[in-house]
Amino acid sequence: MYYYFYRLTEFADAHRTFFSFTVVLVSLVLADMVFHTWLFEPYKSLVHSLSGITPKGFPEVDIGFTPEVWQALLGVVLGTLILVISIASQSIPKLIDLYMKDLPSLLYIWTLILGGSHALMIKIYGEIELMRESSRIFNTHILLTLCCFIAFPYVFYILRYTKPTNIIERIYSNNLDRIQSLTQPHQQALMGQDKIVERYQHEIFESLNQLDDILEYVNFKELKAEIIYYISKTVREYLHVKSQFDPRFFKVSQKVRSDISFKTMVGQFADMEQNQSFYEQKCFRLLGNIYIRLLEQGEFDLASLVAGEMAKVGRVAIELEEKALVGSIIIRFNTLVRFAIKHAIRNNEPRNLYNLFFFYGNFINSLVDFQWKDQLKQAFFYLRIYGVEIFKHGSNAGAMYFIVDVIATEMKKVLERVHQENWDLEFQEALLAEILQVDNPPDFNKEDLSRGILINNGVRVLQMGLALFYLRVEQQNFVDRIIKDVLDDLDTLGEETFRKVVEMTSARLKFSGPTFWEDTDRGNLNIYYTPDQEYLEPLKAQIYAGVESRLILSAQKMFKLTESEAQLVWELSRIQTGVEMEQLLKNPVRFEETLPQLPDITPERLNDLISVRKKLHFTSDNPELTVSHTRQIAEGQHITIQARGSDRHKEPGIEALVRFNSLNMFYVAPLEAADEAKLQKLAHVTITFHPLRRRLIYRFQTTLDPHKMENGAYRVHHSDAIKIIEER
């Protein structure tokens, strides 16, 4: 029974013009008969009651004018239709097809045509008295009057009908009616017929194609926005009733395979059947194509609307627990990101990516609302991937660096939310690892970047803002993870620049307000604002403590220093402002200049200093080192001592050996015991020495303590004025 009823309705729909003609013809015949049989006498009584005069009858009624009136009325209506529809169809394709399926219009036009034909028959047969009196009254008093009365509202109906917004809404409503009808039992009983299923699929596809075609022709943004909205709303309404469909409806028919959106698809139809997602995929393909066109046309606000509607569809899919569809939406968002990246790089225009990642973030927050952890982790992974890629493109398109900040902002929002909702700490740590890699990919060398990018790194601002949040909620493990990542910049920037960057970032966090002084598509929200500014100083203290630990550990590994030796070098680097630990370890001049300012020289620290100097090779036996201080003279060095002012060529000096070189003094002993008496007579001396493996001869003047020390050596005061007197 359902099948035959379907065949009848299908035939009527396919031959709607003939069907409407038949309905009007039968209706007019029946109405004429009803009026003659039951209403004619009451009508005469009504005329009597209204006029107060008893009508003798209506045989004298002149109906000669009625055919002309009917013809004029039909001409006015048809002329209006032709004019309005022909003009409107130039900007709205398939309008004529829509009108030819509009049942009220077909019924009214056939009523005018058949009413005029009825009047013509009355006139012709009335002249030979073959037409009954009641038919004359029905045509002139009832039918003609009613059609004339309807004509003017019908013209307005057509004008409203051809209005683009109404056409778009009509296409949407008709399509929604078809979708909702698929939940009815009589429709589900027909799902065993492949041709019927194919027809239903074609109909709901055709409505979407009509909206897409209209979008190509219209120029007004309001209309384009409505089309995007209705496509999104269609799939959202479809998802709400989808569970009530017969499973056989989701078999991908040939009509679906041959649809323009799926012609290039290969091997995906089986997945669409399994996931029951062919209609959603159709909508997503349309929205993706619309997004590309809008990008190319420079209509960025409408392109953002596509992303916003995609996020709405995603939330509905999450609410309905459509896991496969949520995965498809993530893929669709990634596809939109790919399109936007290409456009942004080509035009150095980050606006679309800014808006797109905002709506991507909204979708991810929907995952948080319903605690979809696996999908959330997957989306975070994709955000990190695109953040890394955009970061790399920043060297060619500088505006892209801001988009990396936007991505980090969305990730930061989610991290704060999941912690406030007490998600598993291990899961939070996995998400934190993703945001820390946005500007620090493992396969990318930071030394290839401009130092200015690392100094003005907005991602670091956001990461430190996140660290402030974790300080407030007492999650020290997460704070340590962020600090460890921040300290990675130390190797590239150097200690001094790194400290300046930390101070600059802290100032930015401290003085950034919740709003920005300019308006954007997303309002004037300042993405760098943090309400946890009171924790800046504790965070900086931890960062600087990390700097100290990292530099000390680095020095220990690089120069094989003990912990106490490395700590001593760190203290030396803190004595002079602007002197870094690395500079002391690699610059003997800086090292020696700093030594006299070191307080509290205990014997243990003195031994550490001597050991450090040897390990750094800051002594005169280093063939690549220019000796500038007597503290650099190596132990075991042979020297020649003469009285100050004596001629070294005429008066041979005393040959001696450097026994020990400390911080404040160095100690020498004569090679010959007979020279001790001569040495004890000297106070102001000139010392000459020739380091091993060097071609240079050095000389300096100093003072000598003539009293012999307990260790059997003589104490000599240090000198900073060493000259090269000869090269061999």
Side-chain angles (χ1 to χ4, degrees), residues 190-301:
L190 300 172
M191 291 296 107
Q193 301 288 333
D194 291 341
K195 291 185 177 180
I196 296 177
V197 172
E198 186 173 3
R199 179 172 178 268
Y200 286 155
Q201 291 176 348
H202 174 71
E203 286 179 350
I204 62 177
F205 268 39
E206 186 62 24
S207 297
L208 294 177
N209 289 332
Q210 288 176 348
L211 292 176
D212 189 48
D213 290 340
I214 294 174
L215 185 66
E216 282 288 321
Y217 282 86
V218 297
N219 296 319
F220 298 106
K221 285 190 174 183
E222 179 184 0
L223 300 179
K224 294 182 178 181
E226 285 197 9
I227 292 173
I228 296 170
Y229 168 75
Y230 279 125
I231 292 177
S232 168
K233 190 174 182 181
T234 298
V235 70
R236 282 184 274 134
E237 295 293 340
Y238 173 86
L239 288 174
H240 281 108
V241 299
K242 175 183 175 182
S243 60
Q244 304 175 39
F245 292 177
D246 189 286
R248 292 172 292 181
F249 172 76
F250 299 103
K251 182 179 180 181
V252 179
S253 66
Q254 186 58 38
K255 286 285 187 182
V256 173
R257 295 172 186 268
S258 61
D259 185 80
I260 186 64
S261 298
F262 295 150
K263 281 187 178 294
T264 58
M265 275 193 172
V266 178
Q268 300 185 34
F269 297 114
D271 292 337
M272 287 194 293
E273 284 186 357
Q274 181 179 359
N275 299 327
Q276 300 181 347
S277 62
F278 72 90
Y279 192 67
E280 297 94 317
Q281 293 292 347
K282 167 67 176 179
C283 294
F284 295 158
R285 299 276 288 192
L286 287 180
L287 290 174
N289 294 335
I290 291 171
Y291 187 79
I292 296 174
R293 293 201 301 267
L294 294 174
L295 285 185
E296 297 300 329
Q297 295 169 5
E299 299 186 50
F300 304 142
D301 47 353

Side-chain angles (χ1 to χ4, degrees), residues 82 285 505 642 726:
I82 294 172
R285 299 276 288 192
T505 304
Q642 292 178 303
E726 187 177 342

Side-chain angles (χ1 to χ4, degrees), residues 440-469:
N440 186 25
D443 59 342
F444 193 64
N445 188 1
K446 280 191 173 183
E447 294 181 357
D448 295 336
L449 291 174
S450 169
R451 288 171 62 88
I453 301 304
L454 292 177
I455 293 173
N456 300 294
N457 190 349
V459 177
R460 280 289 185 241
V461 178
L462 294 164
Q463 290 171 345
M464 288 181 63
L466 182 61
L468 295 176
F469 166 78

